[in-house]
Structure formats: structure tokens, C-alpha cells
Amino acid sequence: MNERTDARLAPLMMRRVRSITAWLWGYDFFISYHWDSGGAYAVELASRLRTAGFEVFLDRSEFALSDEWETVGKVALRNTQYLILIATCEAVFESRPVEREVSYFTGNNRRCIAIGFGDTFASKPAAESGANIVLDQLSKAKLRGKDTEENLRSGRPANEVIKKLIDTYDVIRRRALRFRITAVTMLFLSGLAILAGLSAKYAFEQADIAKNETKKAQQ
């Protein structure tokens, strides 16, 4: 296998590992957004939440654009506690990926967390129920956080928004949960190893006793 083949296979293997990791451990937050209107804000929000210790799925950093959403995005959404919608006009009214993500996530009777900006929808007509899936979900969202349009343009989420996201939900961080499960598993395996060692020791002792008894009988 040459270096060029290795270079092609490495990203594929990394994506497979991430897919398995998502299936096993999942994420605290999945950020759904329209790249041109909310990409910078979404990237910084993900960074801030990760710094706070949360596991965050952000599509452009988690899998290549050529990947099938069916094999990666759905797995992540199934194993995500909360979906955060960066509710720009473009995300709500124009983005098919956002509509797909929100629809799939809320289809399992889960509500998303929406972050709006200024009077985002003041100039937009109210949608009839079901006419716009994303807009329809905004009225049902658990949190209607609000940030400024200036922060959206500069890609700097307000500290109050971050704090509200963290404080509003009693989230057991996935990495903490992972540590607990790993610790319990290690303790269990250690117990099995100790038990196996004691059993082996007992077996050797019994074998020595049997040998001594055999020698005595022969004598």
C-alpha cells in the first residue's frame, strides 16, 4: 500500500471511527445552521461548548461534505440529547439540510433549542401549521434564546446565551458518562481477572496436592 492510498484511506477510517464513537457515546448538542448566514457563529458556539466540557456535533468539522448524511448525520442525531438551531432567516426558510435535521430530530417527539437574532422574523409572514417545518418547530422549541444581529455577523455568541444553554439543562456530559461507564467496565474486568487468578492459583495448589498424594501412594 503506497502513501497515496494511505492518504485516501486515512480520512475514511477517521470518519468510520467517529461514526462508531457517535453510536456508542453520542453527543450533548447537535448544531444545525445555514453556513453563509450563521456558520461563523455556529463554529464559535461549538468551540465554547466544547471548552465547557460538552460533546458537540458540527457537521463541517465532523464529516466530509461528500459523506452520505444518512450514514453519519442520522446516527449523530439519534444519539444527541439536544439540537441547537441557529435560527437565521436563511436557515429557517431556505436551507434544506436544516429542514432535514430539524424534521428528523423532532420526529422522535424531541424539541429543539432555537437561538434567534434581533427581530429575525419580523418581516416574514407567519407560516401555517406544517407549511414550514422549521418555523413550525420554533413555536415548540424548549428555549427561545436571543442574541444580537451584531454578534451573529461577528461570530461571537453572547456569554448569556452560552450560560443559558449550559444552565438550563441538566446534561450529564457525554465524556463524564463515558468515564463512568469505562471505570465500571474496568472494575468489572479487574474483578474477573482477580477471580481468574485466584481460580488458577487454587487449581495449581490442588494439582500439587494431587501429585504429592500420588507420590505417597507409589512409595
Side-chain angles (χ1 to χ4, degrees):
M1 188 176 295
N2 57 40
E3 293 182 0
R4 183 174 299 177
T5 303
D6 289 342
R8 288 198 301 267
L9 288 179
L12 176 62
M13 293 179 65
M14 288 300 296
R15 293 197 293 272
R16 296 301 182 200
V17 169
R18 284 196 292 267
S19 180
I20 294 171
T21 301
W23 183 77
L24 288 174
W25 305 112
Y27 297 90
D28 299 309
F29 297 106
F30 182 113
I31 300 179
S32 182
Y33 64 99
H34 176 265
W35 175 255
D36 290 337
S37 61
Y41 187 95
V43 170
E44 181 61 21
L45 178 63
S47 177
R48 296 275 297 275
L49 289 172
R50 285 169 178 155
T51 300
F54 293 95
E55 297 291 343
V56 182
F57 185 95
L58 188 71
D59 59 1
R60 286 175 182 258
S61 65
E62 296 295 336
F63 61 93
L65 295 178
S66 60
D67 273 337
E68 289 292 334
W69 182 83
E70 294 284 341
T71 60
V72 181
K74 280 190 174 182
V75 172
L77 284 169
R78 280 199 301 268
N79 295 279
T80 293
Q81 293 189 65
Y82 298 106
L83 179 144
I84 300 174
L85 170 62
I86 308 302
T88 61
C89 281
E90 292 81 359
V92 174
F93 294 99
E94 301 174 12
S95 176
R96 292 290 297 171
V98 169
E99 179 182 323
R100 182 176 56 194
E101 291 161 1
V102 171
S103 177
Y104 186 81
F105 185 83
T106 58
N108 295 319
N109 295 319
R110 294 180 293 175
R111 295 181 182 178
C112 64
I113 301 169
I115 300 176
F117 304 90
D119 297 325
T120 305
F121 307 109
S123 60
K124 296 289 183 179
E128 296 179 3
S129 180
N132 182 301
I133 294 173
V134 181
L135 188 59
D136 189 49
Q137 289 301 322
L138 288 180
S139 62
K140 305 173 184 177
K142 289 185 176 182
L143 169 67
R144 286 297 298 273
K146 200 166 186 179
D147 208 335
T148 66
E149 293 182 356
E150 181 182 352
N151 285 347
L152 173 64
R153 289 190 296 269
S154 62
R156 294 196 302 268
N159 293 332
E160 293 77 10
V161 171
I162 303 294
K163 187 175 187 303
K164 193 171 184 180
L165 283 172
I166 294 174
D167 294 345
T168 302
Y169 300 99
D170 184 19
V171 180
I172 299 178
R173 290 170 173 80
R174 293 290 180 167
R175 62 183 63 181
L177 181 62
R178 181 186 309 173
F179 174 78
R180 295 178 191 178
I181 294 175
T182 302
V184 170
T185 302
M186 292 300 294
L187 286 174
F188 177 73
L189 293 176
S190 298
L192 287 180
I194 292 172
L195 182 61
L198 293 174
S199 297
K201 181 180 179 181
Y202 177 78
F204 284 129
E205 290 175 348
Q206 292 300 310
D208 288 338
I209 292 173
K211 287 180 181 180
N212 291 333
E213 292 295 331
T214 301
K215 288 181 180 179
K216 289 179 182 179
Q218 290 175 348
Q219 291 175 355

